[in-house]
């Protein structure tokens, strides 16, 4: 929020969205393969995508199993952009967000339906939480490709460099008003300055997909889109 300058999408004026996920690489290399996977998902047989004898993706399955363990607390997880972004003219990077504190939460023996949210509530009720925001610079276009989202860029070739810190102050974030406010928000990596343009076919597909899904969600919930400013107040 508060990022001035012309954006690549015109539905928000001052946001720069950075969307990260816990796996270090994506499940499919490109949108064509993702469409294949979605067909198997709709057929309720997603594993068939990986083990199909004529079109096997076993390596992609193993990578997802490696980087997608069960988590105990979302605040204790390292996150990755999965896909590259521009960092000024002619330079591609990926992003990562790493907790500055070691993990402490244990997965409950019988996890409740919202056990991840509950863990975050307890953590931020006890005090603030800090992440290191890191950038990994592309140094080899072959081993660190733009168009194949299943490739984890080798850190031995280009380690992540901390460039900022994200501090979450102690707070309560799950009041009814805050949860309702979440419904009016939209997220899209194309809420971006041109200097940080999303790169690759997966990112190009995300622009219309995220926009359409946000429109559908807000239409179904009968709420209007609101661009956040950071000045919102949520009294108890």
């Amino acid at each position: 929020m508060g990022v001035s300058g012309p954006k690549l999408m015109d539905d928000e004026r001052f946001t720069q969205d950075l969307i990260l996920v816990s796996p270090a690489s994506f499940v499919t290399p490109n949108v064509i393969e993702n469409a294949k996977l979605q067909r198997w998902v709709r057929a309720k047989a997603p594993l068939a995508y990986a083990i199909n004898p004529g079109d096997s993706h076993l390596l992609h399955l193993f990578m997802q199993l490696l980087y997608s363990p069960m988590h105990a607390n979302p605040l204790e997880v390292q996150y990755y952009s999965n896909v590259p972004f521009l960092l000024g003219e002619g330079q591609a990077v990926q992003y990562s967000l790493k907790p500055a504190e070691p993990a402490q939460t244990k997965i409950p023996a019988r996890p409740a339906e919202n056990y991840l949210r509950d863990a975050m509530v307890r953590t931020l009720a006890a005090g603030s939480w800090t992440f290191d925001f890191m950038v990994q610079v592309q140094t080899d276009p072959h081993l660190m490709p733009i168009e194949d989202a299943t490739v984890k860029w080798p850190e031995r070739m280009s380690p992540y460099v901390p460039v900022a810190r994200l501090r979450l102050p102690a707070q309560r974030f799950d009041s009814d008003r805050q949860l309702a406010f979440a419904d009016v928000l939209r997220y899209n990596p194309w809420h971006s300055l041109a200097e940080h343009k999303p790169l690759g076919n997966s990112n190009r597909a995300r622009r219309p997909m995220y926009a359409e899904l946000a429109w559908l969600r807000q239409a179904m919930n009968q709420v209007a889109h609101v661009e956040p400013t950071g000045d919102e107040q949520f009294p108890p």
Side-chain angles (χ1 to χ4, degrees):
M1 293 173 285
V3 179
S4 60
K7 302 299 188 297
L8 297 173
M9 291 186 70
D10 59 7
D11 62 329
E12 296 196 356
R13 297 176 56 198
F14 298 106
T15 55
Q16 174 80 39
D17 285 355
L18 299 173
I19 299 174
L20 296 94
V21 294
S22 56
S25 61
F26 197 55
V27 65
T28 56
N30 52 54
V31 294
I32 294 175
E33 291 297 326
N34 193 267
K36 293 181 185 177
L37 173 59
Q38 298 309 317
R39 285 197 292 271
W40 285 110
V41 169
R42 287 197 299 272
K44 296 181 170 43
L47 187 60
Y49 172 78
I51 63 176
N52 186 344
D55 189 20
S56 174
H57 299 87
L58 284 174
L59 177 60
H60 299 158
L61 173 64
F62 293 146
M63 291 294 288
Q64 288 302 304
L65 293 175
L66 177 64
Y67 289 116
S68 300
M70 186 174 179
H71 298 301
N73 187 334
L75 295 173
E76 298 174 354
V77 177
Q78 183 169 357
Y79 295 92
Y80 302 87
S81 64
N82 259 198
V83 286
F85 295 80
L86 200 62
L87 185 68
E89 186 64 32
Q91 182 63 71
V93 297
Q94 290 200 24
Y95 303 128
S96 182
L97 199 62
K98 184 177 182 179
E101 303 290 337
Q104 300 175 352
T105 307
K106 303 299 182 184
I107 298 175
R110 294 184 177 181
E113 181 179 2
N114 292 316
Y115 81 95
L116 292 172
R117 182 195 293 177
D118 296 340
M120 294 175 63
V121 169
R122 290 192 298 269
T123 299
L124 291 177
S128 62
W129 194 258
T130 304
F131 289 89
D132 287 321
F133 182 75
M134 305 183 296
V135 170
Q136 183 185 30
V137 177
Q138 185 196 50
T139 57
D140 185 315
H142 176 67
L143 295 177
M144 306 169 77
I146 298 293
E147 298 294 343
D148 187 344
T150 60
V151 176
K152 183 182 184 299
W153 288 6
E155 293 185 45
R156 70 180 187 278
M157 298 181 60
S158 180
Y160 279 100
V161 178
V163 296
R165 278 209 150 180
L166 172 64
R167 180 179 176 272
L168 304 178
Q171 61 184 280
R172 179 187 176 189
F173 65 85
D174 64 336
S175 70
D176 290 342
R177 292 189 180 189
Q178 286 166 297
L179 295 177
F181 182 67
D183 285 341
V184 305
L185 301 178
R186 293 179 183 176
Y187 300 98
N188 197 309
W190 291 83
H191 289 157
S192 171
L193 296 169
E195 295 91 329
H196 303 298
K197 176 182 177 180
L199 301 174
N201 68 87
S202 294
N203 262 332
R204 291 191 293 273
R206 291 166 89 186
R207 179 171 182 160
M209 289 172 59
Y210 279 37
E212 288 294 326
L213 288 171
W215 179 88
L216 176 62
R217 169 176 56 83
Q218 292 177 333
M220 292 177 66
N221 291 334
Q222 298 182 325
V223 296
H225 169 229
V226 174
E227 179 176 355
T229 67
D231 296 325
E232 292 81 13
Q233 298 291 325
F234 301 100

